[in-house]
Amino acid sequence: MTPAPSAIAAALPTVRSLEPTRPLRWLVAGHQDLARALSLSLVHGLVVMLGAVAIALLGWRHFGVLAGGYSGFLLVAPLLATGLYQISRRLAQGVEPTWADVVQAWRLSGALLRFALLLALIGTLWVGFSAMVVLAMAGEPWAGLQGFFSPRVLRSADFVQRGHLFLLWLLAGGLLAAWVFAISVVAIPMLLERRVPLSLAVLTSVRAVGHNPVTMLVWAALIFACTALGLLTLVGLVWCVPLLGHASWHAYTELVDASAWPERR
């Protein structure tokens, strides 16, 4: 039975206030976990890299495939991240992590699965919105990434003159990214570790960001920089993804004390 909203509010875990330099320690701890479970960790990054390449290739000519692949990727990504959280969790417990531990983490709770579906829905809506913005700027339909990056579209008079639409698109993307970051940065690892309702995990995540605005801004900037580097090099994703996954686990454990809620096995 799901607790009443008042009971959830009363049972919100303790959120700690941390200094802005703490995210650097999370990266160091994440790198240590990566080194201690190298093969298990790098496989997660390899899967993400191959997925990103496949989506880009399939969406080069077909926008429908791009939208479906992107939303599906957002559904799978949290599932893969739980494996990295589980590895860090086992290492913290003094246990050597195995593939059995990773597979166990992928057997998601209903709350975590619903959260993954929510991310997939958000991703699909964002891809559709982006297509509408590009169409409004270029004044003509485009089939996929190939059309978006074509010189004919980018140099068109409408595209240049309607640059304010591009700025609005950037602003909307930034606001959406900030919202998704706020509701998920703590929620996903918390749902893996503790038997908590989805609403409580999301509220705790938002509280963690609200209590540590500067620290979490630094953390978001580091995530963006590392991810951008990984996407630019592609191969860098193999290292960047597990590093951020492990570091995110340490961010959660330092930000939140959820010991009052029952632990998952």
Side-chain angles (χ1 to χ4, degrees), residues 193-240:
E193 184 194 34
R194 301 287 170 176
R195 297 184 182 277
V196 297
L198 176 58
S199 55
L200 183 141
V202 170
L203 285 174
T204 302
S205 188
V206 173
R207 285 184 67 217
V209 175
H211 277 60
N212 299 272
V214 177
T215 301
M216 299 311 286
L217 181 62
V218 172
W219 180 224
L222 290 173
I223 292 175
F224 176 81
C226 189
T227 303
L229 178 63
L231 288 172
L232 287 174
T233 60
L234 281 182
V235 177
L237 286 174
V238 179
W239 172 81
C240 178

Short mmCIF file of all heavy atoms in Angstrom, two decimals, residues 193-240:
data_model
loop_
_atom_site.label_atom_id
_atom_site.label_comp_id
_atom_site.label_asym_id
_atom_site.label_seq_id
_atom_site.Cartn_x
_atom_site.Cartn_y
_atom_site.Cartn_z
N GLU A 193 18.22 1.34 -4.04
CA GLU A 193 18.68 0.90 -2.73
C GLU A 193 17.55 0.68 -1.73
O GLU A 193 17.62 -0.24 -0.91
CB GLU A 193 19.65 1.94 -2.15
CG GLU A 193 20.25 1.50 -0.82
CD GLU A 193 20.93 2.62 -0.08
OE1 GLU A 193 20.47 3.77 -0.17
OE2 GLU A 193 21.93 2.35 0.60
N ARG A 194 16.52 1.50 -1.78
CA ARG A 194 15.49 1.50 -0.74
C ARG A 194 14.11 1.20 -1.30
O ARG A 194 13.81 1.52 -2.45
CB ARG A 194 15.46 2.86 -0.02
CG ARG A 194 16.77 3.25 0.63
CD ARG A 194 17.04 2.43 1.88
NE ARG A 194 18.41 2.62 2.37
CZ ARG A 194 18.87 2.09 3.49
NH1 ARG A 194 18.07 1.35 4.24
NH2 ARG A 194 20.12 2.29 3.86
N ARG A 195 13.28 0.61 -0.47
CA ARG A 195 11.89 0.36 -0.84
C ARG A 195 11.07 1.61 -0.51
O ARG A 195 10.48 1.72 0.57
CB ARG A 195 11.35 -0.86 -0.09
CG ARG A 195 12.08 -2.16 -0.43
CD ARG A 195 11.45 -3.36 0.26
NE ARG A 195 12.17 -4.57 -0.03
CZ ARG A 195 12.00 -5.30 -1.13
NH1 ARG A 195 11.09 -4.94 -2.02
NH2 ARG A 195 12.71 -6.40 -1.32
N VAL A 196 11.08 2.55 -1.42
CA VAL A 196 10.40 3.83 -1.20
C VAL A 196 9.44 4.08 -2.36
O VAL A 196 9.66 3.62 -3.49
CB VAL A 196 11.41 4.99 -1.10
CG1 VAL A 196 12.32 4.81 0.10
CG2 VAL A 196 12.23 5.11 -2.38
N PRO A 197 8.38 4.84 -2.13
CA PRO A 197 7.47 5.22 -3.22
C PRO A 197 8.18 6.15 -4.20
O PRO A 197 9.10 6.89 -3.83
CB PRO A 197 6.33 5.95 -2.51
CG PRO A 197 6.46 5.59 -1.07
CD PRO A 197 7.91 5.33 -0.82
N LEU A 198 7.75 6.13 -5.45
CA LEU A 198 8.34 6.99 -6.47
C LEU A 198 8.22 8.45 -6.08
O LEU A 198 9.16 9.24 -6.25
CB LEU A 198 7.66 6.73 -7.82
CG LEU A 198 8.10 7.62 -8.98
CD1 LEU A 198 9.59 7.48 -9.23
CD2 LEU A 198 7.30 7.27 -10.24
N SER A 199 7.07 8.85 -5.54
CA SER A 199 6.86 10.25 -5.17
C SER A 199 7.86 10.70 -4.11
O SER A 199 8.37 11.83 -4.17
CB SER A 199 5.43 10.46 -4.68
OG SER A 199 5.12 9.58 -3.61
N LEU A 200 8.16 9.84 -3.15
CA LEU A 200 9.12 10.20 -2.10
C LEU A 200 10.52 10.35 -2.68
O LEU A 200 11.25 11.28 -2.32
CB LEU A 200 9.10 9.16 -1.00
CG LEU A 200 10.02 9.46 0.21
CD1 LEU A 200 9.33 9.06 1.51
CD2 LEU A 200 11.35 8.73 0.08
N ALA A 201 10.90 9.45 -3.57
CA ALA A 201 12.23 9.53 -4.18
C ALA A 201 12.39 10.81 -4.99
O ALA A 201 13.43 11.48 -4.92
CB ALA A 201 12.47 8.31 -5.06
N VAL A 202 11.36 11.18 -5.74
CA VAL A 202 11.41 12.40 -6.55
C VAL A 202 11.47 13.63 -5.66
O VAL A 202 12.26 14.56 -5.90
CB VAL A 202 10.20 12.46 -7.51
CG1 VAL A 202 10.12 13.83 -8.17
CG2 VAL A 202 10.31 11.37 -8.56
N LEU A 203 10.64 13.67 -4.61
CA LEU A 203 10.65 14.81 -3.69
C LEU A 203 12.01 14.95 -3.00
O LEU A 203 12.51 16.06 -2.81
CB LEU A 203 9.54 14.65 -2.64
CG LEU A 203 8.12 14.93 -3.11
CD1 LEU A 203 7.12 14.58 -2.01
CD2 LEU A 203 7.96 16.39 -3.52
N THR A 204 12.59 13.83 -2.62
CA THR A 204 13.91 13.86 -1.98
C THR A 204 14.96 14.40 -2.94
O THR A 204 15.84 15.18 -2.55
CB THR A 204 14.31 12.46 -1.51
OG1 THR A 204 13.32 11.95 -0.61
CG2 THR A 204 15.66 12.48 -0.82
N SER A 205 14.88 14.00 -4.20
CA SER A 205 15.82 14.48 -5.21
C SER A 205 15.71 15.98 -5.39
O SER A 205 16.72 16.70 -5.42
CB SER A 205 15.56 13.76 -6.53
OG SER A 205 16.57 14.06 -7.47
N VAL A 206 14.49 16.48 -5.47
CA VAL A 206 14.27 17.93 -5.62
C VAL A 206 14.78 18.68 -4.39
O VAL A 206 15.40 19.74 -4.50
CB VAL A 206 12.78 18.22 -5.87
CG1 VAL A 206 12.52 19.73 -5.85
CG2 VAL A 206 12.33 17.63 -7.20
N ARG A 207 14.55 18.11 -3.20
CA ARG A 207 15.03 18.73 -1.97
C ARG A 207 16.56 18.77 -1.93
O ARG A 207 17.16 19.74 -1.46
CB ARG A 207 14.52 17.98 -0.74
CG ARG A 207 13.06 18.21 -0.43
CD ARG A 207 12.67 17.49 0.85
NE ARG A 207 13.35 18.09 2.00
CZ ARG A 207 13.80 17.38 3.03
NH1 ARG A 207 13.68 16.07 3.05
NH2 ARG A 207 14.37 17.99 4.05
N ALA A 208 17.19 17.71 -2.41
CA ALA A 208 18.66 17.67 -2.42
C ALA A 208 19.22 18.78 -3.29
O ALA A 208 20.21 19.43 -2.94
CB ALA A 208 19.14 16.31 -2.91
N VAL A 209 18.58 19.01 -4.44
CA VAL A 209 19.02 20.10 -5.32
C VAL A 209 18.72 21.45 -4.69
O VAL A 209 19.55 22.37 -4.74
CB VAL A 209 18.32 19.97 -6.69
CG1 VAL A 209 18.66 21.17 -7.58
CG2 VAL A 209 18.74 18.68 -7.39
N GLY A 210 17.55 21.59 -4.08
CA GLY A 210 17.19 22.85 -3.45
C GLY A 210 18.06 23.21 -2.26
O GLY A 210 18.35 24.39 -2.02
N HIS A 211 18.52 22.21 -1.52
CA HIS A 211 19.38 22.45 -0.36
C HIS A 211 20.84 22.72 -0.76
O HIS A 211 21.60 23.25 0.04
CB HIS A 211 19.36 21.24 0.59
CG HIS A 211 18.20 21.24 1.53
ND1 HIS A 211 16.89 21.22 1.09
CD2 HIS A 211 18.13 21.26 2.88
CE1 HIS A 211 16.07 21.22 2.12
NE2 HIS A 211 16.80 21.25 3.23
N ASN A 212 21.19 22.31 -1.98
CA ASN A 212 22.58 22.45 -2.43
C ASN A 212 22.62 23.05 -3.84
O ASN A 212 23.15 22.41 -4.77
CB ASN A 212 23.28 21.10 -2.44
CG ASN A 212 23.34 20.46 -1.07
OD1 ASN A 212 24.27 20.69 -0.30
ND2 ASN A 212 22.35 19.63 -0.75
N PRO A 213 22.08 24.25 -4.06
CA PRO A 213 21.99 24.78 -5.42
C PRO A 213 23.34 24.96 -6.11
O PRO A 213 23.49 24.58 -7.28
CB PRO A 213 21.26 26.13 -5.23
CG PRO A 213 21.49 26.49 -3.80
CD PRO A 213 21.53 25.19 -3.05
N VAL A 214 24.32 25.50 -5.38
CA VAL A 214 25.63 25.73 -6.01
C VAL A 214 26.35 24.40 -6.22
O VAL A 214 26.92 24.16 -7.30
CB VAL A 214 26.48 26.68 -5.14
CG1 VAL A 214 27.86 26.86 -5.76
CG2 VAL A 214 25.78 28.02 -4.98
N THR A 215 26.31 23.54 -5.23
CA THR A 215 26.97 22.24 -5.35
C THR A 215 26.39 21.43 -6.49
O THR A 215 27.14 20.82 -7.28
CB THR A 215 26.83 21.46 -4.03
OG1 THR A 215 27.41 22.21 -2.97
CG2 THR A 215 27.51 20.10 -4.12
N MET A 216 25.07 21.42 -6.61
CA MET A 216 24.44 20.64 -7.67
C MET A 216 24.62 21.29 -9.03
O MET A 216 24.63 20.60 -10.06
CB MET A 216 22.96 20.44 -7.35
CG MET A 216 22.72 19.69 -6.04
SD MET A 216 23.70 18.17 -5.88
CE MET A 216 22.83 17.10 -7.03
N LEU A 217 24.76 22.61 -9.06
CA LEU A 217 25.08 23.28 -10.32
C LEU A 217 26.47 22.87 -10.80
O LEU A 217 26.68 22.60 -11.99
CB LEU A 217 25.01 24.80 -10.15
CG LEU A 217 25.31 25.64 -11.39
CD1 LEU A 217 24.29 25.35 -12.49
CD2 LEU A 217 25.30 27.13 -11.04
N VAL A 218 27.41 22.79 -9.87
CA VAL A 218 28.75 22.32 -10.22
C VAL A 218 28.69 20.87 -10.71
O VAL A 218 29.33 20.52 -11.71
CB VAL A 218 29.69 22.43 -9.00
CG1 VAL A 218 31.04 21.75 -9.29
CG2 VAL A 218 29.90 23.89 -8.62
N TRP A 219 27.90 20.05 -10.03
CA TRP A 219 27.78 18.65 -10.41
C TRP A 219 27.15 18.52 -11.80
O TRP A 219 27.61 17.74 -12.63
CB TRP A 219 26.96 17.91 -9.37
CG TRP A 219 26.74 16.45 -9.62
CD1 TRP A 219 25.58 15.76 -9.48
CD2 TRP A 219 27.72 15.47 -10.01
NE1 TRP A 219 25.75 14.43 -9.76
CE2 TRP A 219 27.07 14.21 -10.09
CE3 TRP A 219 29.08 15.53 -10.30
CZ2 TRP A 219 27.72 13.04 -10.47
CZ3 TRP A 219 29.74 14.35 -10.67
CH2 TRP A 219 29.06 13.13 -10.75
N ALA A 220 26.11 19.30 -12.08
CA ALA A 220 25.47 19.27 -13.39
C ALA A 220 26.45 19.71 -14.48
O ALA A 220 26.47 19.13 -15.58
CB ALA A 220 24.23 20.16 -13.39
N ALA A 221 27.27 20.73 -14.19
CA ALA A 221 28.25 21.20 -15.17
C ALA A 221 29.30 20.13 -15.46
O ALA A 221 29.71 19.93 -16.61
CB ALA A 221 28.92 22.48 -14.66
N LEU A 222 29.73 19.42 -14.42
CA LEU A 222 30.70 18.34 -14.62
C LEU A 222 30.10 17.20 -15.44
O LEU A 222 30.77 16.63 -16.31
CB LEU A 222 31.18 17.82 -13.27
CG LEU A 222 32.08 18.76 -12.46
CD1 LEU A 222 32.34 18.20 -11.07
CD2 LEU A 222 33.40 19.00 -13.20
N ILE A 223 28.84 16.88 -15.17
CA ILE A 223 28.17 15.84 -15.94
C ILE A 223 28.07 16.24 -17.41
O ILE A 223 28.34 15.45 -18.31
CB ILE A 223 26.76 15.56 -15.36
CG1 ILE A 223 26.87 14.91 -13.99
CG2 ILE A 223 25.95 14.67 -16.31
CD1 ILE A 223 25.53 14.72 -13.29
N PHE A 224 27.68 17.50 -17.64
CA PHE A 224 27.56 18.00 -19.02
C PHE A 224 28.90 17.97 -19.74
O PHE A 224 29.00 17.53 -20.89
CB PHE A 224 27.00 19.43 -19.00
CG PHE A 224 26.93 20.06 -20.36
CD1 PHE A 224 25.87 19.77 -21.22
CD2 PHE A 224 27.93 20.92 -20.80
CE1 PHE A 224 25.80 20.35 -22.47
CE2 PHE A 224 27.87 21.50 -22.06
CZ PHE A 224 26.81 21.22 -22.90
N ALA A 225 29.96 18.44 -19.07
CA ALA A 225 31.28 18.49 -19.69
C ALA A 225 31.78 17.09 -20.03
O ALA A 225 32.30 16.85 -21.13
CB ALA A 225 32.26 19.21 -18.77
N CYS A 226 31.62 16.17 -19.10
CA CYS A 226 32.09 14.80 -19.32
C CYS A 226 31.29 14.13 -20.43
O CYS A 226 31.85 13.45 -21.29
CB CYS A 226 32.00 14.01 -18.02
SG CYS A 226 32.78 12.39 -18.09
N THR A 227 29.97 14.33 -20.43
CA THR A 227 29.13 13.73 -21.46
C THR A 227 29.43 14.32 -22.83
O THR A 227 29.49 13.59 -23.82
CB THR A 227 27.65 13.93 -21.11
OG1 THR A 227 27.37 13.38 -19.82
CG2 THR A 227 26.76 13.26 -22.14
N ALA A 228 29.62 15.65 -22.89
CA ALA A 228 29.94 16.29 -24.17
C ALA A 228 31.25 15.76 -24.72
O ALA A 228 31.38 15.49 -25.92
CB ALA A 228 30.01 17.81 -23.98
N LEU A 229 32.24 15.60 -23.84
CA LEU A 229 33.52 15.05 -24.27
C LEU A 229 33.35 13.63 -24.79
O LEU A 229 33.92 13.26 -25.82
CB LEU A 229 34.52 15.07 -23.10
CG LEU A 229 35.90 14.47 -23.38
CD1 LEU A 229 36.61 15.29 -24.45
CD2 LEU A 229 36.73 14.45 -22.09
N GLY A 230 32.53 12.85 -24.10
CA GLY A 230 32.29 11.49 -24.54
C GLY A 230 31.59 11.43 -25.89
O GLY A 230 31.94 10.62 -26.75
N LEU A 231 30.61 12.32 -26.10
CA LEU A 231 29.88 12.32 -27.37
C LEU A 231 30.75 12.80 -28.52
O LEU A 231 30.63 12.31 -29.65
CB LEU A 231 28.64 13.22 -27.25
CG LEU A 231 27.50 12.67 -26.38
CD1 LEU A 231 26.43 13.72 -26.19
CD2 LEU A 231 26.91 11.41 -27.02
N LEU A 232 31.61 13.77 -28.24
CA LEU A 232 32.49 14.28 -29.30
C LEU A 232 33.48 13.23 -29.75
O LEU A 232 33.85 13.17 -30.94
CB LEU A 232 33.23 15.53 -28.80
CG LEU A 232 32.38 16.80 -28.68
CD1 LEU A 232 33.19 17.91 -28.04
CD2 LEU A 232 31.86 17.24 -30.05
N THR A 233 33.94 12.41 -28.83
CA THR A 233 34.93 11.40 -29.17
C THR A 233 34.32 10.02 -29.38
O THR A 233 34.96 9.13 -29.93
CB THR A 233 35.99 11.31 -28.07
OG1 THR A 233 35.35 10.95 -26.83
CG2 THR A 233 36.69 12.64 -27.89
N LEU A 234 33.06 9.84 -28.94
CA LEU A 234 32.33 8.56 -28.98
C LEU A 234 33.01 7.50 -28.12
O LEU A 234 32.40 6.96 -27.21
CB LEU A 234 32.16 8.07 -30.42
CG LEU A 234 31.04 8.73 -31.22
CD1 LEU A 234 30.94 8.11 -32.60
CD2 LEU A 234 29.71 8.65 -30.49
N VAL A 235 34.26 7.23 -28.39
CA VAL A 235 34.97 6.23 -27.59
C VAL A 235 35.04 6.68 -26.13
O VAL A 235 35.05 5.85 -25.21
CB VAL A 235 36.39 5.99 -28.15
CG1 VAL A 235 37.16 5.01 -27.28
CG2 VAL A 235 36.31 5.48 -29.58
N GLY A 236 35.05 7.99 -25.92
CA GLY A 236 35.09 8.50 -24.57
C GLY A 236 33.90 8.11 -23.73
O GLY A 236 33.97 8.11 -22.50
N LEU A 237 32.77 7.78 -24.39
CA LEU A 237 31.59 7.34 -23.65
C LEU A 237 31.85 6.05 -22.87
O LEU A 237 31.25 5.83 -21.82
CB LEU A 237 30.42 7.12 -24.62
CG LEU A 237 29.75 8.36 -25.19
CD1 LEU A 237 28.71 7.97 -26.23
CD2 LEU A 237 29.11 9.20 -24.08
N VAL A 238 32.75 5.23 -23.39
CA VAL A 238 33.05 3.96 -22.72
C VAL A 238 33.61 4.22 -21.33
O VAL A 238 33.35 3.44 -20.40
CB VAL A 238 34.05 3.14 -23.56
CG1 VAL A 238 34.41 1.84 -22.86
CG2 VAL A 238 33.46 2.85 -24.94
N TRP A 239 34.35 5.30 -21.18
CA TRP A 239 34.92 5.66 -19.87
C TRP A 239 34.00 6.62 -19.11
O TRP A 239 33.84 6.49 -17.90
CB TRP A 239 36.28 6.31 -20.08
CG TRP A 239 36.88 6.89 -18.83
CD1 TRP A 239 37.55 6.23 -17.84
CD2 TRP A 239 36.85 8.27 -18.44
NE1 TRP A 239 37.94 7.11 -16.87
CE2 TRP A 239 37.53 8.36 -17.19
CE3 TRP A 239 36.31 9.42 -19.01
CZ2 TRP A 239 37.68 9.58 -16.53
CZ3 TRP A 239 36.47 10.62 -18.35
CH2 TRP A 239 37.14 10.70 -17.13
N CYS A 240 33.40 7.57 -19.84
CA CYS A 240 32.62 8.63 -19.19
C CYS A 240 31.37 8.07 -18.51
O CYS A 240 31.04 8.48 -17.39
CB CYS A 240 32.23 9.66 -20.24
SG CYS A 240 31.20 11.00 -19.62
#
